[in-house]
Amino acid sequence: MIASAYFTTLLLFLLFQDVSGAPTASTHVVGRSIPLRRLSPSSQNLTLVAQRAKGQRGMLVAKYGGQSLGKRATGYNLLVNQGIDTGYYGSIAIGTPPVSFDVILDTGSSDLWLTSSTCGAVCGSSPTYDPTKSSSFQNLSTPFEITYGSGAAAGYVAEETVQMAGFSVQKQGFAVVNSLSSNFNQNPVSGLMGLAWASLASSGQTPFWETLASGGSLDSALFGVQLTRYGNASDATENEPGGVIDMGYTNSSLYSGSIEYHAIVGQPEFWEINMNTLTVQGKSIDIAEMSSAIIDTGTTNVAGPATAIASIYAQIPGSQPGTGQWQGYYTYPCSTTVNVEFNFGSNSWSMSPADFTHTQISSTQCIGAFFVSTIGQGGPSWVVGDAFLKNVYSVFRYNPPSVGFAALSTTAIAQNGITAPPPSATIGAVSAEVTNTGAAPSGRPLSTLLCFWLVSASIAVML
């Protein structure tokens, strides 16, 4: 693997700090803690933040309204953090010879797509994929189209060799996008990798993670996610380390206690589980019977029914419904410390007051992270995004299909706001090859691990 000077600098930093999240011989990892403070209004472009918040609400209907064995190996990829706690992206490599691209990592969808070199100006300034430069490209000549609240992507379905963290999947189905809503991607993001289940894929293709799982290439049938917090760090920059995703194992250095698992609701599609209770300022909120929640790394905040959201802010004196681009959100006094707890089973999971603040819009007023869902009847009751997930170690289990949560360790917490150079995107050393046959998951034993860093993206819409 060829490393840039940036990569070398970060690697040396991680070796001395031991906070990479990769497997270690000891679970004791030393991190450097940085005091966290709320960003001042001047630190952000509030017009852009409002536009993203509006897009996050608008996409709910589009996203949720109805819709053989390889050699065993290990590896991890260091990725880049862009933006301040607004989403997550990482890098993959595709083609022969391989070329790396940054893609949004989204547990709320299932398609892998990249913008094409023929897309033109509407695909923005991000790097684009050129199929004519790859000897492993195969056009399946199947139309592809997917709609998000912030826009739409269209093109055709193809097969390619896709690499991530040392794994290489041959004939991985994905979409080549040659038509994209303007400003959908923001540099350097070139596409999206869905981490939900194959039954949701508009392309009809099996997601990369599920190809590995069903092919028996992972030690354990799961992946774990730990996200960092920079939203209230006064010295946060556009690019920061963002956390880690551990595929094929759970990283004991990043959580404490046991993992509490919750079965997927119905057949595996989204990572949707039942939600029991929600308390705000110590008071239980009426979330209605049989409420379910989609656990989604691809959204920044938390969406819920209008009556429940109104009840949440009723516990915060001085709260008011937002207007204009903030419609569906609420303002509240920044001086108020808001304590929220989620319960999906036996344990209750606290959400940091810092994560309740989506943004500050004046010297005294903040926008809360909970907003009114526009999904309507037939969709999930709640969509729980990064505002909550930054507070737990989350596990997405393939067999049996379930989502688990565990308390963050002191090691994981110490990574919030840590000062470190952003890592450079890398392809990783290829040490395992899997051929995607398109077969349904077999439930066979899984072996080995895949670990790579997750990073915050500047796309605050739910994709």
Side-chain angles (χ1 to χ4, degrees), residues 178-232:
N178 48 36
S179 177
L180 188 69
S181 296
S182 181
N183 297 322
F184 188 95
N185 281 350
Q186 182 163 339
N187 190 45
V189 173
S190 299
L192 182 145
M193 173 174 274
L195 296 172
W197 298 80
S199 55
L200 286 176
S202 298
S203 62
Q205 303 299 304
T206 303
F208 182 90
W209 79 271
E210 202 170 347
T211 298
L212 294 175
S214 62
S217 298
L218 305 174
D219 273 343
S220 299
L222 52 79
F223 59 94
V225 177
Q226 173 253 336
L227 308 178
T228 60
R229 178 186 304 114
Y230 281 85
N232 61 342

Side-chain angles (χ1 to χ4, degrees), residues 50 63 67 143 147 164 186 195 218 247 281 319 382 407 430 456:
K63 190 172 184 181
Q67 29 177 327
T147 301
M164 182 159 48
Q186 182 163 339
L195 296 172
L218 305 174
M247 191 168 274
Q281 307 299 61
S319 298
W382 297 81
V430 180
S456 300

Side-chain angles (χ1 to χ4, degrees), residues 288-369:
E289 294 183 3
M290 301 302 292
S291 287
S292 64
I294 289 175
I295 309 303
D296 185 1
T297 61
T299 188
T300 306
N301 293 314
V302 179
T307 53
I309 298 300
S311 181
I312 288 172
Y313 289 98
Q315 313 311 313
I316 310 171
S319 298
Q320 295 290 332
T323 59
Q325 293 191 64
W326 292 115
Q327 184 176 358
Y329 289 79
Y330 280 71
T331 64
Y332 75 98
C334 296
S335 58
T336 303
T337 298
V338 182
N339 297 299
V340 178
E341 288 189 350
F342 290 81
N343 185 289
F344 303 95
S346 299
N347 297 321
S348 291
W349 307 99
S350 296
M351 176 175 162
S352 170
D355 295 322
F356 187 85
T357 303
H358 174 53
T359 193
Q360 187 171 342
I361 59 174
S362 74
S363 59
T364 60
Q365 293 295 301
C366 285
I367 295 290

Side-chain angles (χ1 to χ4, degrees), residues 1-12 76-78 422-426:
M1 178 175 60
I2 299 175
S4 65
Y6 234 22
F7 173 85
T8 303
T9 301
L10 179 60
L11 183 57
L12 289 172
Y76 66 91
N77 272 6
L78 297 175
S424 299
T426 59

Side-chain angles (χ1 to χ4, degrees), residues 356-449:
F356 187 85
T357 303
H358 174 53
T359 193
Q360 187 171 342
I361 59 174
S362 74
S363 59
T364 60
Q365 293 295 301
C366 285
I367 295 290
F370 285 70
F371 66 97
V372 176
S373 167
T374 56
I375 297 173
Q377 190 173 3
S381 306
W382 297 81
V383 178
V384 177
D386 306 328
F388 168 72
L389 296 177
K390 284 178 283 182
N391 297 272
V392 292
Y393 185 81
S394 306
V395 182
F396 300 83
R397 188 165 63 178
Y398 169 74
N399 187 23
S402 50
V403 176
F405 301 115
L408 292 175
S409 67
T410 55
T411 294
I413 294 171
Q415 294 181 31
N416 291 330
I418 194 169
T419 300
S424 299
T426 59
I427 293 173
V430 180
S431 53
E433 291 190 355
V434 178
T435 298
N436 184 359
T437 62
S442 63
R444 299 166 70 178
L446 303 181
S447 170
T448 219
L449 70 86

